[in-house]
Amino acid sequence: MKPKWTVDDLRQLDVFAKCAARELEALLPHVYCRTYRKGQLLFMEGDPRERVYFLISGYVKLERNNETATHQYTDYLKPKQLFPYRGLMTEPYYQHSAEALTDIEVIYMPTDRFEQLVSRNASMLLHIVGQMNRILDLHERRVQDIITPSATDRVLNTIHYLIEDLGEPEAAGVRVRCPFTTVEISRLSGTSRETVSNILSRLRKEDVLQFDARELMIGHPEYFEQSTV
């Protein structure tokens, strides 16, 4: 992790790309770097929303429970993402909990400093609106794809969602470096762990993907595009 960030470093993050140098110079004294170990919590749902984070490396899970903890909303973040978007400019408390899924590096800054900069910078505001629209579209399609009555289709649609949201294209296919267990995929898809295990086993035998506790390698991503039509 860099011990200290510069104006040029901040400009590598899309949201700051068009900011004036003087704006970023004024922000730099309030930018902090930190590492978290796998399993550590960055904040809890209901905590005061004091910081805005930028994930530099590793993966983070955002999660929200209802009052009885029987229903979960889960989202995953990959490097170079701002979080949390939920509540920006409007909410005094975090609406999700954030957990490090791997060892991670982040930078963070006080929420009020970041929001003051956004409020007077049209390019930042447009970028944030664009990203929120992208997230909304992705999650609307995720909900639509996972309400199908077929358990098999729900699992395939969930993998397709993970490819779209977290996948990194490579010559051999698409790699999802975020670690997932069969239990997590079963929660996302609303199916049993046994169903997920059986489907993953079949897809391995058909050479569609490879799956372990560290990553998901999809050799034929077009298989899931066909499955979700």
Side-chain angles (χ1 to χ4, degrees), residues 63-182:
E63 194 166 66
R64 184 178 188 181
N65 296 327
N66 66 9
E67 292 181 357
T68 60
T70 57
H71 178 270
Q72 294 181 327
Y73 167 84
T74 306
D75 193 18
Y76 301 89
L77 303 173
K78 61 183 178 181
K80 308 304 180 185
Q81 287 188 300
L82 158 71
F83 70 99
Y85 278 102
R86 176 75 183 270
L88 273 177
M89 317 294 284
T90 60
E91 297 290 342
Y93 304 103
Y94 290 118
Q95 302 298 301
H96 307 91
S97 298
E99 176 187 351
L101 282 178
T102 63
D103 292 350
I104 65 170
E105 299 177 343
V106 299
I107 64 168
Y108 65 86
M109 60 200 66
T111 298
D112 57 350
R113 294 279 179 176
F114 179 75
E115 291 182 345
Q116 287 167 18
L117 182 56
V118 171
S119 67
R120 58 178 183 264
N121 191 305
S123 66
M124 290 184 71
L125 184 58
L126 288 172
H127 175 83
I128 288 171
V129 170
Q131 289 300 304
M132 293 179 76
N133 283 337
R134 181 193 66 80
I135 293 168
L136 179 60
D137 177 68
L138 183 66
H139 284 268
E140 282 183 347
R141 287 187 286 118
R142 170 185 169 185
V143 171
Q144 291 168 359
D145 288 343
I146 296 176
I147 59 174
T148 174
S150 166
T152 297
D153 285 348
R154 291 201 300 274
V155 174
L156 296 178
N157 291 344
T158 296
I159 296 173
H160 185 241
Y161 159 74
L162 296 176
I163 292 171
E164 279 195 295
D165 194 31
L166 302 173
E168 302 172 18
E170 297 182 357
V174 176
R175 191 180 302 274
V176 177
R177 298 182 187 275
C178 184
F180 286 98
T181 64
T182 53

Side-chain angles (χ1 to χ4, degrees), residues 185-229:
I185 294 178
S186 71
R187 287 175 180 168
L188 284 172
S189 59
T191 58
S192 69
R193 183 177 60 82
E194 291 75 16
T195 297
V196 172
S197 295
N198 290 337
I199 292 171
L200 290 175
S201 178
R202 173 172 63 82
L203 294 176
R204 284 194 194 98
K205 290 178 181 177
E206 295 175 359
D207 202 29
V208 173
L209 58 73
Q210 297 298 318
F211 174 80
D212 60 33
R214 294 171 299 162
E215 64 180 22
L216 183 65
M217 180 63 202
I218 301 93
H220 297 281
E222 69 280 358
Y223 178 93
F224 299 94
E225 294 170 5
Q226 294 168 1
S227 297
T228 57
V229 173

